[in-house]
Amino acid sequence: MNYRGMWAIYSFEMARAFRTVGQSVASPVISTVLYFIVFGSAIGSRISDVGGVQYGAFIIPGLIMLTILGQSISNASFGIYFPRFTGTIYEILSAPLSFIEITIGYVGAAATKSFIIGLIVLITANFFVTFEIMHPFWMMFFLVMTCVTFNMLGFIIGIWADGFEKLQLIPLLIITPLTFLGGSFYSINMLPDFWQKVSLLNPVVYLVSGFRWSFYENSDVSITTSVTMILVFLFICLGIITWIFKTGFRLKN
Amino acid sequence: MTHAISVHNLEKIYDNGFQALDDVSLEVRRGEIMALLGPNGAGKTTLISTICGIVTASAGHIDVFDYDIIKDYRKARSCIGLVPQELTTDAFETVWKTVCFSRILFGKKPDPDYIESLLKSLSLWEKKDSQIRMLSGGMKRRVMIAKALSHQPDILFLDEPTAGVDVELRKSMWQLVRELRETGVTIILTTHYLEEAEEMADRIGVINNGKLILVEEKKTLMKKLGKKELVLDLHSPLNDIPADLSEFNLHLVQDGHQLVFTYDPAKQDNGVVRLLDCLKDNSIKCKDFNTRQSTLEEIFVQLIGDA
Ligand SMILES: Nc1ncnc2c1ncn2[C@@H]1O[C@H](COP(=O)(O)OP(=O)(O)OP(=O)(O)O)[C@@H](O)[C@H]1O
Ligand SMILES: [Mg+2]
């Protein structure tokens, strides 16, 4: 293993984030505050408890997921798209690094950022509502797995995209709807039967549900299903990345 | 003795079906400077990129110091430093950071002393804390050279190192390349300029349309190809070349207003002086004259014609 090489990519990517640290921290904080004002206080005060959890507290896990998913996709896709765009990728490709090492460098850094942002949202939420985390281990498990998996997805998008429009398109057209319809602000049990079934096709439902379970033991699908599903996504992403590096898809000619 | 690089029957067909390399075989000796000459689109960059692992070969195989570039890619790539044709740098990084980054990327221990001496030798030390976007084009090119040398490679690829570089910097770059060769580094450079190849290289390879037309010692090649022309503007036009001048390689152009003498400048007795004497004896007067070196294009035409 070329540990130094991996570290070089990782720390380069982290330094890039720290150059704009204000922005990186401010945007999730501001959006969290806005969600709490709108959903937590204004609307939430008129909504009864969901499954015994006060609405303001109920939305915290979903809110964290919402933020992390968006940030992961945009961070990781930009992180690999930009060197492709400027051409500096030549150096990475000609270095003695395996594709696993390159992926660990980029995805690791992007996932670290997402993880930190997740914690920032959690801390911000703490100022608005009181909540407890019943299963801290599982909470961390879901947080880390989500960061890793969705940053891989972002990495894939960043390799697939051949223009800045496409880089924006996927998050806008796919990720945003999926996260909003993924039960971040409601329990899918509130939906009519038919839409509950449709929701089960949405991978985000399993993440939010599992994550919420780790807070309140309150979930839409069983915890086992959630864990299985996230592992399935992880392996799908790994498979696609392996294929990309094997074939050189859009990285090598 | 193993070669620094051996390329065997390399083919490259790009996804769009374009064949950029056609059965290229090439051996680069240890410690030599090899210049790859060829017109735009000949396949020089494709060849270099394939050796460095940026482009995947369609057929054939490549060894770098006996390491297969696919199977033993770590060892092969560790030996190579690449300065690509395009100036691609991380605009917001500082010179120091970007050069240190390259070294670690290649798996080497940080070595601030070495990086310091490297930057000094490239006259970049004063700029070490500047962001790359604030440097001039020539300085950026030197930063890319520093990045390529940061991990102390045994082989250095310079893809058109002197494109868009002023005369002075070009000279200092040639100097740098010679110094590197002294330390045992094998250097492969591409260029459009015959002059540059002539100045620098031990051997010259000529590529055209994806084919390696020839690889030759520089001295042999220059002798073969480095023809010069003396163009004489005549006072009054000639219809035919006088019989007295038949021993010279002459022809008339511009309706007999110009007489062109093709000769080999490398020869001791190249005939220029004798020709001028003969012209005088035959009372042929000249208004003006100039000489020109055969251009690379003409050499290619000649080579392709011969092939
Ligand atoms: N990614 C690609 N897809 C398709 N064709 C390509 C690609 N890259 C290069 N080519 C083609 O391959 C041929 C060789 O290109 P290459 O860059 O190797 O030439 P070169 O000898 O380096 O030229 P120059 O002197 O202009 O740098 C050109 O015709 C080019 O158009
Ligand atoms: Mg080129």
Side-chain angles (χ1 to χ4, degrees):
Chain A
M1 287 287 259
N2 180 352
Y3 292 104
R4 292 202 188 95
M6 272 192 292
W7 172 250
I9 295 176
Y10 182 88
S11 50
F12 177 87
E13 285 296 301
M14 291 307 285
R16 198 166 58 78
F18 278 109
R19 273 204 288 269
T20 54
V21 65
Q23 204 171 315
S24 310
V25 174
S27 81
V29 170
I30 290 172
S31 63
T32 309
V33 170
L34 290 177
Y35 278 119
F36 269 107
I37 292 172
V38 176
F39 289 104
S41 311
I43 298 175
S45 59
R46 304 181 179 213
I47 299 178
S48 55
D49 295 357
V50 185
V53 181
Q54 188 210 336
Y55 187 71
F58 176 83
I59 65 171
I60 293 172
L63 204 51
I64 294 174
M65 281 291 166
L66 189 72
T67 316
I68 288 182
L69 296 190
Q71 291 279 337
S72 296
I73 302 282
S74 68
N75 263 334
S77 62
F78 191 78
I80 186 72
Y81 181 76
F82 198 65
R84 283 179 59 219
F85 175 74
T86 60
T88 51
I89 191 87
Y90 83 88
E91 200 177 20
I92 308 287
L93 294 178
S94 63
L97 282 164
S98 69
F99 78 85
I100 298 172
E101 291 159 352
I102 297 175
T103 308
I104 292 176
Y106 278 105
V107 174
T112 309
K113 281 180 252 174
S114 305
F115 182 78
I116 294 172
I117 287 166
L119 293 184
I120 290 172
V121 174
L122 195 66
I123 293 165
T124 313
N126 200 26
F127 289 103
F128 291 87
V129 277
T130 47
F131 58 90
E132 55 181 329
I133 300 166
M134 294 172 77
H135 302 283
F137 168 80
W138 285 108
M139 191 281 258
M140 279 295 166
F141 172 84
F142 277 106
L143 194 58
V144 170
M145 291 302 274
T146 306
C147 288
V148 171
T149 307
F150 278 79
N151 279 294
M152 276 195 209
L153 183 60
F155 188 71
I156 293 167
I157 292 170
I159 290 173
W160 164 80
D162 49 15
F164 277 102
E165 307 80 43
K166 280 197 184 163
L167 212 54
Q168 315 245 293
L169 204 69
I170 295 275
L172 204 68
L173 284 186
I174 299 175
I175 307 300
T176 311
L178 286 186
T179 48
F180 269 91
L181 301 176
S184 296
F185 299 111
Y186 58 88
S187 161
I188 59 166
N189 296 326
M190 296 171 175
L191 298 173
D193 240 18
F194 173 74
W195 291 110
Q196 282 193 34
K197 297 247 161 55
V198 172
S199 293
L200 292 179
L201 295 173
N202 178 357
V204 178
V205 166
Y206 301 93
L207 299 180
V208 172
S209 168
F211 196 45
R212 188 176 289 137
W213 175 86
S214 70
F215 279 70
Y216 312 122
E217 284 188 344
N218 165 323
S219 67
D220 295 342
V221 294
S222 87
I223 173 76
T224 332
T225 316
S226 287
V227 173
T228 313
M229 288 308 272
I230 186 138
L231 290 176
V232 169
F233 302 142
L234 181 75
F235 283 106
I236 290 175
C237 289
L238 270 176
I240 297 175
I241 291 177
T242 311
W243 175 81
I244 285 175
F245 279 93
K246 278 240 168 75
T247 58
F249 175 74
R250 300 232 166 130
L251 280 177
K252 295 186 185 190
N253 284 306
Chain B
M1 195 183 77
T2 61
H3 291 288
I5 300 170
S6 3
V7 177
H8 305 276
N9 308 101
L10 185 65
E11 306 252 340
K12 175 61 194 179
I13 299 166
Y14 280 110
D15 289 344
N16 61 6
F18 183 83
Q19 177 147 22
L21 292 176
D22 183 359
D23 198 23
V24 171
S25 294
L26 170 71
E27 248 136 32
V28 181
R29 297 172 191 154
R30 272 176 196 240
E32 76 172 341
I33 300 180
M34 169 163 267
L36 293 173
L37 272 167
N40 286 127
K44 303 181 294 294
T45 301
T46 304
L47 175 59
I48 290 183
S49 305
T50 312
I51 300 171
C52 294
I54 297 167
V55 167
T56 29
S58 310
H61 82 272
I62 302 171
D63 293 323
V64 172
F65 290 119
D66 282 346
Y67 299 122
D68 184 288
I69 61 155
I70 308 286
K71 281 195 224 97
D72 272 327
Y73 69 96
R74 279 186 207 271
K75 281 179 184 141
R77 291 183 193 175
S78 302
C79 306
I80 298 178
L82 166 66
V83 183
Q85 184 170 358
E86 309 289 334
L87 284 173
T88 49
T89 48
D90 291 301
F92 296 96
E93 278 295 335
T94 66
V95 172
W96 177 261
K97 278 197 185 146
T98 199
V99 176
C100 291
F101 168 82
S102 300
R103 184 179 171 88
I104 300 172
L105 192 67
F106 275 72
K108 288 268 175 127
K109 260 199 216 119
D111 186 347
D113 293 339
Y114 170 70
I115 305 288
E116 179 176 339
S117 68
L118 180 61
L119 291 183
K120 281 181 176 157
S121 74
L122 287 161
S123 317
L124 285 169
W125 184 243
E126 284 71 39
K127 297 283 175 190
K128 73 179 167 73
D129 297 317
S130 306
Q131 286 189 350
I132 296 172
R133 68 194 168 98
M134 300 194 203
L135 303 181
S136 75
M139 287 176 188
K140 281 189 191 133
R141 186 150 314 262
R142 276 181 280 159
V143 171
M144 299 194 62
I145 296 178
K147 279 167 81 71
L149 291 174
S150 65
H151 63 280
Q152 295 158 291
D154 301 308
I155 300 173
L156 179 66
F157 284 98
L158 296 164
D159 199 351
E160 288 183 38
T162 55
V165 159
D166 69 24
V167 181
E168 201 177 331
L169 183 54
R170 182 170 301 182
K171 291 261 156 68
S172 76
M173 217 154 294
W174 290 350
Q175 186 55 35
L176 172 80
V177 170
R178 276 191 213 98
E179 281 166 20
L180 278 171
R181 207 258 302 261
E182 297 288 295
T183 66
V185 178
T186 307
I187 294 156
I188 295 96
L189 59 91
T190 72
T191 177
H192 292 139
Y193 307 115
L194 190 59
E195 184 204 6
E196 187 158 280
E198 194 179 347
E199 180 78 24
M200 311 273 307
D202 300 310
R203 287 198 305 154
I204 293 177
V206 179
I207 302 188
N208 191 40
N209 281 331
K211 288 204 175 70
L212 191 64
I213 304 175
L214 64 83
V215 181
E216 193 101 65
E217 294 289 333
K218 175 182 68 185
K219 289 187 188 111
T220 327
L221 188 68
M222 294 317 292
K223 257 199 212 124
K224 267 198 206 161
L225 302 172
K227 295 272 165 49
K228 246 178 147 173
E229 286 182 346
L230 173 66
V231 182
L232 300 154
D233 285 322
L234 301 178
H235 218 272
S236 40
L238 284 176
N239 287 327
D240 299 297
I241 294 165
D244 274 4
L245 304 181
S246 61
E247 65 161 304
F248 300 100
N249 183 6
L250 290 174
H251 61 276
L252 285 167
V253 291
Q254 304 272 354
D255 295 330
H257 283 91
Q258 283 187 342
L259 189 63
V260 181
F261 174 46
T262 310
Y263 65 100
D264 183 351
K267 273 195 196 151
Q268 273 290 3
D269 172 28
N270 54 32
V272 174
V273 179
R274 270 187 299 124
L275 174 68
L276 293 177
D277 286 344
C278 279
L279 290 176
K280 205 168 149 199
D281 296 345
N282 285 273
S283 319
I284 299 171
K285 287 190 187 139
C286 308
K287 287 188 294 196
D288 196 5
F289 68 91
N290 64 69
T291 64
R292 62 184 194 89
Q293 182 107 35
S294 27
T295 64
L296 203 53
E297 268 66 29
E298 289 164 329
I299 290 179
F300 285 129
V301 170
Q302 195 182 334
L303 281 171
I304 296 158
D306 292 351

